[in-house]
Amino acid sequence: MGMVRWAADMVRGLYTVLVGMKITAGYLGRPPVTMHYPDEKWQMPENFRGLIKCDMDACIVCDLCVKACPVECITIDWKREAGKSGKIATRFVVDYQKCLYCGLCAEPCPTLAIFHSHEYENASYTREPQVIDWCLPENRVTNPNAKPKAKPAAKPAAPKPATAPAAAAAPAATATAVATAPAGGVAAESGIQGVEAPTGETGTVSKVWIIPGCIVCDLCEDTAPDVFHVTETTSVVQLDHQDKWGEWSDKIIEAAVGCPVNVIKYELQK
């Protein structure tokens, strides 16, 4: 009985070896699938969500990415340059120890400055490399799909004291014009409200106003600095040059079209 059992075990062992070799033999004629990482790497798909990067040449410092981030891993510091409109980022820090790679920061970016790269090798032995400031020269990157940022223009001179009464009359003009706004329209924060024209429709502009929702990106002031002025909290319509709005219609319409949150409204002269 011992010899029979031994012989049966040998047969079963030989059979299992042959089954395994059959599977192996089936792959002998096929091309290899093993990649010798890190010398060889897979090509990532187009929609792969890898390391978040920011093209600072396209960033308008609107803070929408900061507000959208669910884990608060993005920090932006900015400043203004004397004599120029627009905000300039001094720090754009992303803490990748917190980042979820969810893409919520990239979705609302009006200029596509912040984007997912195809990089995924960001492991490190210390915490310092996990915090990257994209404003530093050594970290500068370019997103080929980013929208060009408007070139900052010189800010107009501050209005003279004599014009203060005209500016003070602005709320009254706005309040009077609200009644002529379309039913269900949103009340203006600044400017003179009228019958809203479809954004992008060209013609001679007679009234300009801004509704709530401004993200303080400065694009309107960069485009038409004599019409719009950006404060720390919102953009306002300057009424000092209201008589020239018709001459500046192209710039006003360009600012309305370029507004990433569509808060600039205008009425065309009939």
Side-chain angles (χ1 to χ4, degrees), residues 20-112:
M21 292 303 295
K22 179 183 177 181
I23 297 174
T24 302
Y27 285 91
L28 289 177
R30 302 182 185 182
V33 296
T34 303
M35 299 200 74
H36 298 280
Y37 181 86
D39 298 323
E40 297 177 348
K41 299 177 183 179
W42 288 107
Q43 181 69 31
M44 294 295 106
E46 186 64 28
N47 59 348
F48 176 75
R49 291 206 296 251
L51 189 73
I52 283 286
K53 295 186 177 182
C54 187
D55 183 350
M56 298 310 303
D57 292 329
C59 179
I60 58 175
V61 200
C62 64
D63 285 348
L64 286 181
C65 55
V66 177
K67 297 173 183 176
C69 181
V71 293
E72 300 180 350
C73 70
I74 302 175
T75 303
I76 304 177
D77 293 335
W78 54 271
K79 66 177 182 179
R80 296 185 187 272
E81 286 189 355
K84 291 184 179 180
S85 61
K87 296 183 290 187
I88 300 175
T90 56
R91 291 176 68 242
F92 193 107
V93 177
V94 182
D95 187 348
Y96 294 97
Q97 300 171 103
K98 301 178 181 178
C99 183
L100 301 174
Y101 298 87
C102 61
L104 291 177
C105 58
E107 289 180 6
C109 182
T111 60
L112 305 181

Side-chain angles (χ1 to χ4, degrees), residues 4-269:
V4 174
R5 183 179 298 177
W6 175 82
D9 290 342
M10 290 293 294
V11 171
R12 282 194 296 269
L14 181 60
Y15 173 75
T16 56
V17 170
L18 292 176
V19 171
M21 292 303 295
K22 179 183 177 181
I23 297 174
T24 302
Y27 285 91
L28 289 177
R30 302 182 185 182
V33 296
T34 303
M35 299 200 74
H36 298 280
Y37 181 86
D39 298 323
E40 297 177 348
K41 299 177 183 179
W42 288 107
Q43 181 69 31
M44 294 295 106
E46 186 64 28
N47 59 348
F48 176 75
R49 291 206 296 251
L51 189 73
I52 283 286
K53 295 186 177 182
C54 187
D55 183 350
M56 298 310 303
D57 292 329
C59 179
I60 58 175
V61 200
C62 64
D63 285 348
L64 286 181
C65 55
V66 177
K67 297 173 183 176
C69 181
V71 293
E72 300 180 350
C73 70
I74 302 175
T75 303
I76 304 177
D77 293 335
W78 54 271
K79 66 177 182 179
R80 296 185 187 272
E81 286 189 355
K84 291 184 179 180
S85 61
K87 296 183 290 187
I88 300 175
T90 56
R91 291 176 68 242
F92 193 107
V93 177
V94 182
D95 187 348
Y96 294 97
Q97 300 171 103
K98 301 178 181 178
C99 183
L100 301 174
Y101 298 87
C102 61
L104 291 177
C105 58
E107 289 180 6
C109 182
T111 60
L112 305 181
I114 190 166
F115 64 101
H116 279 286
S117 68
H118 286 177
E119 296 181 16
Y120 51 87
E121 301 169 301
N122 60 330
S124 61
Y125 289 103
T126 60
R127 295 179 180 271
E128 286 76 12
Q130 298 297 319
V131 182
I132 298 179
D133 184 355
W134 293 105
C135 284
L136 297 178
E138 61 268 23
N139 295 331
R140 287 277 180 168
V141 293
T142 301
N143 181 13
N145 299 320
K147 299 177 183 178
K149 181 170 62 173
K151 185 177 180 181
K155 283 190 175 182
K160 297 179 181 179
T163 62
T174 301
T176 303
V178 169
T180 64
V186 180
E189 278 194 337
S190 67
I192 301 177
Q193 191 165 0
V195 180
E196 178 184 342
T199 302
E201 183 175 337
T202 58
T204 302
V205 174
S206 58
K207 296 179 181 178
V208 185
W209 67 98
I210 295 177
I211 63 175
C214 176
I215 59 175
V216 199
C217 68
D218 289 7
L219 284 179
C220 57
E221 186 174 7
D222 293 341
T223 305
D226 293 308
V227 180
F228 304 101
H229 173 64
V230 178
T231 66
E232 296 297 326
T233 57
T234 187
S235 179
V236 296
V237 177
Q238 303 181 94
L239 301 178
D240 300 335
H241 305 290
Q242 181 183 349
D243 57 328
K244 295 185 178 181
W245 285 355
E247 300 176 23
W248 299 333
S249 295
D250 291 343
K251 287 295 183 182
I252 294 173
I253 296 173
E254 181 183 345
V257 172
C259 178
V261 288
N262 194 29
V263 297
I264 300 176
K265 308 297 179 182
Y266 58 91
E267 177 183 317
L268 295 178
Q269 199 171 44

